[in-house]
Amino acid sequence: MLQFNENGDIIGGVVPLVDGGTEGFKGNSRVIIPGITACIECNLDLFPPQVAFPMCTIANTPRLPEHCIEYVRAIQWEQNQPFGKNIAIDGDDPVHIEWIYKQSVARANEYKICGITYRLTQGVIKNIIPAVASTNAVVAAVCANEVFKLATSCYPPMNNYLMFNDAQGIYTYTFEAERKEDCPACSQAPFSVEVDGESVLQDFIDYLSENARTQMKAPGVTTIINGRNRTLYMQNIPSIEEATRRNLNVKLKDLGLQDGQEVVVSDITSPKPTICKLKFII
């Protein structure tokens, strides 16, 4: 975790991070100099949303083996409840996977769809993307090379993101990902949050939990009102949670919060508090 002084300058040592990952025939590697180059949080917008099959397709016009498997997982399991009421699917239980596999084959035969296997069924249920040894080897070699450069200073490290794809031939591309000046992870800039002027504190808590950028689990909110530090809500300490629970249904403005005010949010998902700057909208 970076530490800053009162002037916003980084103090203490900066430990470089070399990161790599693969997904089938695709991979990436990057070198992160905390506080200097883009961090993982800065680049979250680069990643596409997780693929989800439209419900209308899997229910009415399945075309792929995956559509049949997803239909059984999302609809038939709930309707049939094959192993008892409220029993959730366990992707590691071969009995559960076998049942889904057989039902998927039956639906696939109905629509003349081929290609359903036990392994594919488990892959869809557990969202497994097969690992490709050659892709893993290339990305691991890139990461090891960058560590060697950083450790020996024999050559400047990569600046700072590399994409790799060997699905059709071999393709690589290196570019400099921009660092976000308001990144909540590697900067001290407040995270701007737009909220309805009539919203209550619970709405703000829900936003922090559901927003793709924050994804907090149990946010606690404190701020300074009239020169005094005030805890508006704290979930992790039972006594404080009980004392501040009544604030959840109080409007933000009635709690003393104003447009442009900064609040400090702490959560188990982050090693340091997040500073949020409220922007009231009408």
Side-chain angles (χ1 to χ4, degrees):
M1 184 178 70
L2 291 177
Q3 295 181 345
F4 300 85
N5 59 21
E6 296 179 354
N7 298 323
D9 300 321
I10 299 174
I11 58 177
V14 174
V15 180
L17 170 67
V18 178
D19 174 66
T22 64
E23 183 178 280
F25 288 98
K26 301 176 183 178
N28 69 80
S29 179
R30 57 184 145 190
V31 176
I32 299 172
I33 311 297
I36 300 174
T37 64
C39 71
I40 295 176
E41 185 80 23
C42 293
N43 297 156
L44 287 182
D45 295 340
L46 295 176
F47 298 97
Q50 192 171 22
V51 176
F53 300 113
M55 184 58 67
C56 58
T57 298
I58 67 173
N60 301 314
T61 57
R63 299 184 299 274
L64 301 172
E66 292 84 352
H67 293 164
C68 300
I69 299 170
E70 186 66 15
Y71 176 83
V72 177
R73 184 200 68 81
I75 298 178
Q76 283 191 247
W77 182 278
E78 182 65 25
Q79 291 178 345
N80 297 2
Q81 297 186 354
F83 300 100
K85 189 175 181 180
N86 298 326
I87 299 297
I89 296 175
D90 183 352
D92 295 316
D93 189 333
V95 178
H96 288 196
I97 299 299
E98 182 69 22
W99 186 89
I100 296 173
Y101 165 66
K102 291 180 178 179
Q103 298 298 320
S104 301
V105 169
R107 182 168 177 80
N109 291 338
E110 181 182 350
Y111 287 90
K112 296 180 172 57
I113 297 173
C114 302
I116 292 184
T117 63
Y118 182 93
R119 184 173 181 178
L120 177 64
T121 302
Q122 189 174 41
V124 172
I125 297 302
K126 298 181 65 176
N127 195 29
I128 297 174
I129 299 174
V132 179
S134 60
T135 307
N136 295 346
V138 170
V139 172
V142 172
C143 292
N145 189 47
E146 293 305 317
V147 171
F148 178 78
K149 288 191 289 185
L150 288 166
T152 64
S153 300
C154 66
Y155 199 80
M158 176 173 58
N159 189 24
N160 54 30
Y161 195 101
L162 178 139
M163 298 172 56
F164 174 79
N165 190 334
D166 59 348
Q168 297 178 341
I170 296 178
Y171 171 80
T172 62
Y173 178 65
T174 304
F175 65 95
E176 181 180 359
E178 291 188 13
R179 178 172 176 247
K180 287 187 175 181
E181 296 300 326
D182 62 343
C183 175
C186 67
S187 75
Q188 284 193 304
F191 174 39
S192 181
V193 178
E194 291 187 350
V195 293
D196 190 315
E198 297 298 316
S199 61
V200 298
L201 181 61
Q202 181 66 65
D203 297 327
F204 180 59
I205 297 290
D206 293 341
Y207 173 86
L208 295 172
S209 301
E210 299 169 2
N211 184 272
R213 181 173 176 180
T214 51
Q215 295 183 343
M216 296 184 178
K217 296 186 180 299
V221 183
T222 61
T223 189
I224 297 177
I225 299 177
N226 297 326
R228 298 179 59 185
N229 189 36
R230 182 180 176 189
T231 299
L232 300 181
Y233 186 63
M234 188 68 65
Q235 300 188 47
N236 294 328
I237 303 177
S239 59
I240 300 181
E241 194 281 331
E242 183 178 358
T244 57
R245 189 184 307 157
R246 60 179 179 273
N247 291 335
L248 292 175
N249 296 319
V250 180
K251 293 181 180 180
L252 296 178
K253 61 181 181 181
D254 292 339
L255 290 171
L257 300 177
Q258 303 175 1
D259 182 41
Q261 184 160 354
E262 294 183 357
V263 297
V264 179
V265 182
S266 58
D267 189 72
I268 59 174
T269 59
S270 176
K272 69 173 185 177
T274 300
I275 302 176
C276 297
K277 188 173 184 178
L278 301 180
K279 182 179 180 181
F280 284 2
I281 56 176
I282 300 176

